[in-house]
Amino acid sequence: MDRFDGNLKGLKNLIRVAGYNGSWSIIAHGYEFMSRDGAVLNWFPDFSRKIYYKGPPDAAGRLRQALAVGDTTSLPPTPPDSRNKAASR
């Protein structure tokens, strides 16, 4: 996930659910999360809503992968037929 369209609370929750602990800071035009393993995530909600990863390449890559797995915004929508069948049961 290189973009997050939710709010700060949602991003914090996504990172927590992915199993990461660390500290948050307010930075110019956005927020920064620094994990205990050195991975850094910068998010700029007022501009591009993009996420940038920094820090040791292995740690940053693990954080990026963990958030990609937890990103429910990239899941395809449920087909209409599935919803109708479930509702009629």
Side-chain angles (χ1 to χ4, degrees):
M1 170 190 347
D2 295 326
R3 180 180 166 93
F4 184 73
D5 291 321
N7 59 26
L8 179 60
K9 184 177 178 180
L11 182 59
K12 286 182 175 184
N13 187 56
L14 188 63
I15 289 172
R16 183 188 54 79
V17 168
Y20 278 85
N21 293 308
S23 60
W24 285 90
S25 301
I26 296 173
I27 59 173
H29 308 291
Y31 301 94
E32 181 174 86
F33 171 76
M34 180 175 280
S35 71
R36 292 188 181 177
D37 68 355
V40 177
L41 174 150
N42 290 334
W43 180 54
F44 301 97
D46 293 337
F47 294 104
S48 62
R49 307 196 68 78
K50 285 189 176 181
I51 292 177
Y52 296 91
Y53 300 91
K54 302 188 306 183
D58 289 347
R62 283 191 303 270
L63 177 59
R64 184 177 188 192
Q65 181 62 35
L67 294 183
V69 168
D71 179 17
T72 58
T73 62
S74 64
L75 295 175
T78 305
D81 293 341
S82 307
R83 286 190 296 247
N84 293 339
K85 289 177 186 175
S88 65
R89 291 185 189 161

